[in-house]
Amino acid sequence: MSGIQAPNVSCNLDKASRKPTRFPLVRLEALDNLWFQVSGTLCNIACEHCFISCSPTNHSFEFMTLEQVKGYLEESVRLGVKEYYFTGGEPFMNRQILDILELTLQYGPATVLTNGMLLRPRVVERLAEIEAQSIYSLEIRLSLDGYTEEMNDAIRGKGVFQKAMAGMKRLVEHGFLPIITVAKTWEDSEDEAVLEGFLNTLRAHGYQRPRIKILPSLRIGREAARSHGYEDYEYVSEEMMQGYDASNLICANSRIATSKGVYVCPILIEARDAWLGNTLSESAAVGYRLRHQACFTCYMFGSICSNFVSVGRNV
Amino acid sequence: MFKKIALFGGVYSNYLALEETIRDAHRRGAEALFCLGDLGAFGPHPDRVFPLLREYRIAVVQGNYDHSIGNGLDDCQCGYTDPRDNYFARISYRYTFAHTSEENRRWLKQLPTEIRLQLGPYRVLLCHGSPRKMNEFLWESTTSTHFLEKLCEDYQADVICATHTGIHWQRALSGKRHFVNVGAIGRPANDGRTEVWYTMLSLEDGDRLEATFVPVSYDYQRLAHEMRREGLPEEFVETILTGWWTTCLEVLPAKERRRGRF
């Protein structure tokens, strides 16, 4: 399972310097990962720590249609995209999601980020069929934020734990090995105990080979209000980029397609400057300045959105 | 220009499997043998693979492990994030570093990161992870075909051969393009078999390219015994004896992970 590592970067942050006057520009090295905001900002729950404030009523971004996704998939061939990711909101709220995944798996590997609550028996059966007929992996990343009902539901809402665990159990019964994705909301000193807690709970629910990915929390959106947001000095400066392998940054290897065009990364779709064009090619041609504080988290931890470290450091 | 060559990666100090691979490849008529990197890690007595490579004039591409040992880096740059994987990686790296002579370390440092050769009409590129990154994992189930096409285009190659993941696979691309992950001879391919795998790349019926994966039997009981005597982790020994991976599982994508036992 994947833990959060102490960042392997040297950064002499001058806490007194506060916000940099100029932000580093990051160009797309290769479009390895194409994300889809497939259910827009619509979600069946409203987690306390959501970094884009998704909810049942947030219509800033709408569902994507199969046709829209198909257009981007076609365009992605020429650009040599390696993997596809689907997020939201809650992707399984989109009624076309199964057709979208089936189509995508003809192009390449797909990963879906879900809260697991809408994984009804027929949905999971179909997912298993779709996965079996492709040479590519279909990864299901299921979000959970506590290993007890009390811990999880305090963040994700009442009744979520039971439904998510039922969804996970169904996935496991159909041969999936979901990646349980946990946003870190505890202190470092508790790492070991929390991990043990998750392993025990998952095994007790029938998941004998649990895969766990722990994400750093992104202190924007609703999470800024839940925790403390970022400190004034937590920005990426040009100086910090010296000797840093920029290919670790999502904006150097990914873009996200939405109902409103292509944005720089899955984290920043609500930022005004994050829209980079209507097509992948347009969005690939322009670089992005790391002017947001969430960029600081990405800088410190690297490739936080991908499943695992599929592309290692440059050597 | 070649017509038949043998390719292997991930020796991981398994000098017993290397001896058998060399014997088998010569018996099958390979004109030359190429190693795609990662000579150390996992197994015992790392210095024992070097004389074999030199004696049989095997050209070697540098792997991330070779780069790390050669340059005296702190870790193997394997890219694990799982604390358990990192724990075992550290044990194995420390052992390998301590038991690799200075001369061999210097040799690892100067290895090329790619080798290009001609196999009949095919321009073949040999690398460790991918042509663009030494430690990039190219798994069968998470590498799209158009991504591989783009690599062939960008690097002006008809055939790209890599290793690094430890599991062999191949895919025919458009025209005469082809991608082959040649596998590893240092440890089994997480398939429940004790044999290890190398690749024979040859021209058949004139100009048709064929990549054949060849299983190699070797004295794995002896290797296990030597690993234990050297104090290497019992988890590694178990893999040698059973053919199932017990560590480094986190990097496996869903399909590859499901085929294994753990």
Side-chain angles (χ1 to χ4, degrees), chain A residues 8 19 39 55 60 62 65 76 99 116 121 147 163 167 174 180 183 188 192 220 224 266 279 302 314:
Chain A
N8 191 18
K19 192 173 175 178
S39 70
S55 76
S60 329
E62 299 290 353
T65 65
S76 78
D99 294 336
Y147 53 85
K163 285 187 184 162
H174 283 79
I180 306 302
D188 289 352
E192 215 170 305
I220 55 174
T279 66
N314 269 319

Side-chain angles (χ1 to χ4, degrees), chain A:
Chain A
M1 58 232 67
S2 169
I4 299 187
Q5 300 256 298
N8 191 18
V9 290
S10 65
C11 106
N12 299 316
L13 271 181
D14 175 6
K15 295 191 181 182
S17 69
R18 307 291 168 183
K19 192 173 175 178
T21 48
R22 215 173 129 76
F23 300 101
L25 181 72
V26 175
R27 296 199 180 279
L28 187 78
E29 291 180 10
L31 187 54
D32 288 342
N33 307 310
L34 176 56
W35 285 73
F36 291 96
Q37 191 74 21
V38 74
S39 70
T41 38
L42 290 154
C43 192
N44 52 334
I45 52 174
C47 301
E48 293 283 321
H49 64 0
C50 186
F51 55 82
I52 37 179
S53 312
C54 293
S55 76
T57 54
N58 185 347
H59 286 269
S60 329
F61 290 83
E62 299 290 353
F63 292 147
M64 291 184 80
T65 65
L66 178 65
E67 279 309 302
Q68 283 174 326
V69 172
K70 191 176 181 183
Y72 288 118
L73 288 172
E74 273 303 305
E75 194 190 356
S76 78
V77 170
R78 192 178 50 77
L79 295 165
V81 168
K82 195 175 169 191
E83 297 190 52
Y84 303 94
Y85 288 81
F86 293 86
T87 188
E90 169 49 46
F92 288 97
M93 282 178 76
N94 185 325
R95 288 175 188 276
Q96 291 185 297
I97 188 67
L98 293 170
D99 294 336
I100 287 172
L101 292 176
E102 184 171 25
L103 179 70
T104 304
L105 283 165
Q106 293 171 23
Y107 287 81
T111 297
V112 197
L113 280 58
T114 176
N115 58 35
M117 296 170 70
L118 304 176
L119 297 173
R120 300 183 183 98
R122 284 182 60 184
V123 172
V124 178
E125 275 166 32
R126 178 87 195 281
L127 284 174
E129 284 165 22
I130 290 170
E131 213 259 356
Q133 56 191 241
S134 174
I135 58 167
Y136 300 116
S137 275
L138 170 61
E139 296 279 11
I140 313 285
R141 251 164 62 182
L142 196 151
S143 299
L144 211 59
D145 286 312
Y147 53 85
T148 64
E149 187 165 353
E150 193 188 356
M151 272 173 75
N152 182 75
D153 291 1
I155 295 168
R156 304 187 69 80
K158 200 170 172 345
V160 172
F161 184 79
Q162 291 298 344
K163 285 187 184 162
M165 292 311 270
M168 182 196 79
K169 222 175 148 190
R170 217 164 272 142
L171 286 170
V172 172
E173 284 164 6
H174 283 79
F176 284 100
L177 295 169
I179 300 169
I180 306 302
T181 308
V182 186
K184 184 166 172 171
T185 51
W186 59 88
E187 298 302 317
D188 289 352
S189 59
E190 300 168 279
D191 276 353
E192 215 170 305
V194 172
L195 191 59
E196 200 55 37
F198 272 103
L199 289 173
N200 291 337
T201 295
L202 297 174
R203 290 196 181 113
H205 283 78
Y207 192 8
Q208 298 307 323
R209 298 158 72 180
R211 299 160 83 201
I212 302 178
K213 177 180 172 74
I214 297 167
L215 292 168
S217 69
L218 291 150
R219 287 165 272 153
I220 55 174
R222 213 174 283 126
E223 172 67 3
R226 194 197 71 88
S227 57
H228 47 73
Y230 285 92
E231 302 290 340
D232 289 350
Y233 67 87
E234 291 181 315
Y235 283 97
V236 182
S237 67
E238 290 199 314
E239 184 195 1
M240 285 161 67
M241 294 303 288
Q242 284 166 21
Y244 180 81
D245 180 3
S247 66
N248 284 329
L249 299 169
I250 305 164
C251 49
N253 58 43
S254 310
R255 291 291 185 256
I256 182 162
T258 75
S259 59
K260 299 198 287 197
V262 185
Y263 286 68
V264 67
C265 80
I267 314 294
L268 294 173
I269 57 164
E270 286 182 320
R272 268 192 209 146
D273 65 342
W275 185 88
L276 299 183
N278 282 312
T279 66
L280 298 178
S281 301
E282 281 170 25
S283 79
V286 287
Y288 190 73
R289 286 205 186 271
L290 306 180
R291 58 173 67 82
H292 298 279
Q293 293 196 287
C295 302
F296 181 81
T297 300
C298 192
Y299 173 93
M300 294 301 277
F301 295 95
S303 293
I304 50 176
C305 297
S306 314
N307 290 343
F308 293 106
V309 187
S310 54
V311 177
R313 281 169 286 158
N314 269 319
V315 293

Side-chain angles (χ1 to χ4, degrees), chain B:
Chain B
M1 197 194 307
F2 297 106
K3 283 186 178 162
K4 190 173 197 175
I5 56 174
L7 308 164
F8 59 88
V11 182
Y12 310 144
S13 303
N14 191 340
Y15 69 98
L16 295 169
L18 176 59
E19 282 172 348
E20 289 303 326
T21 302
I22 294 169
R23 203 169 292 144
D24 192 83
H26 283 146
R27 194 172 52 76
R28 290 171 193 263
E31 297 154 351
L33 279 74
F34 295 89
C35 171
L36 274 53
D38 276 5
L39 305 184
F42 204 79
H45 312 301
D47 269 345
R48 293 189 186 175
V49 303
F50 295 89
L52 289 167
L53 295 169
R54 289 184 192 122
E55 185 184 344
Y56 292 96
R57 294 193 179 83
I58 298 171
V60 183
V61 171
Q62 189 179 55
N64 53 291
Y65 221 92
D66 311 318
H67 180 269
S68 289
I69 298 276
N71 288 283
L73 303 188
D74 294 338
D75 69 27
C76 63
Q77 308 170 89
C78 297
Y80 303 130
T81 55
D82 179 352
R84 183 171 174 271
D85 285 346
N86 275 316
Y87 168 77
F88 287 115
R90 266 196 300 276
I91 293 178
S92 148
Y93 187 75
R94 270 193 220 122
Y95 171 84
T96 307
F97 191 84
H99 293 83
T100 305
S101 73
E102 213 181 304
E103 185 200 347
N104 287 334
R105 274 188 242 158
R106 271 200 303 272
W107 187 78
L108 289 172
K109 189 177 174 175
Q110 54 77 48
L111 290 174
T113 54
E114 67 168 45
I115 291 175
R116 286 177 187 263
L117 57 93
Q118 197 74 27
L119 186 83
Y122 300 91
R123 296 167 302 169
V124 182
L125 189 164
L126 312 181
C127 58
H128 182 72
S130 81
R132 62 181 191 169
K133 262 184 186 173
M134 191 186 281
N135 58 352
E136 178 166 15
F137 290 104
L138 296 183
W139 302 101
E140 182 172 21
S141 85
T142 51
T143 306
S144 74
T145 297
H146 45 260
F147 172 78
L148 294 172
E149 294 276 5
K150 188 161 186 292
L151 285 183
C152 289
E153 187 67 41
D154 290 351
Y155 291 86
Q156 294 293 297
D158 302 312
V159 183
I160 294 177
C161 300
T163 174
H164 190 53
T165 63
I167 299 181
H168 52 277
W169 62 280
Q170 60 172 311
R171 195 175 298 162
L173 307 172
S174 64
K176 57 180 187 175
R177 287 176 179 169
H178 210 96
F179 175 82
V180 188
N181 186 316
V182 304
I185 61 164
R187 64 170 178 168
N190 199 23
D191 55 5
R193 298 175 61 164
T194 54
E195 295 97 333
V196 293
W197 298 80
Y198 78 94
T199 300
M200 194 67 88
L201 202 61
S202 60
L203 296 178
E204 304 292 331
D205 316 323
D207 279 351
R208 187 170 58 80
L209 182 86
E210 192 161 296
T212 310
F213 298 123
V214 186
V216 177
S217 304
Y218 69 101
D219 192 348
Y220 65 92
Q221 296 282 5
R222 181 173 156 195
L223 189 83
H225 175 71
E226 291 184 11
M227 286 168 78
R228 283 186 176 134
R229 218 171 42 196
E230 289 298 291
L232 290 164
E234 195 54 33
E235 283 80 357
F236 291 1
V237 176
E238 188 186 336
T239 297
I240 292 297
L241 292 175
T242 63
W244 299 115
W245 293 5
T246 55
T247 58
C248 310
L249 294 162
E250 178 216 32
V251 294
L252 284 168
K255 273 197 202 284
E256 283 82 353
R257 178 81 182 255
R258 208 159 39 211
R259 286 184 207 126
R261 178 178 288 175
F262 299 105

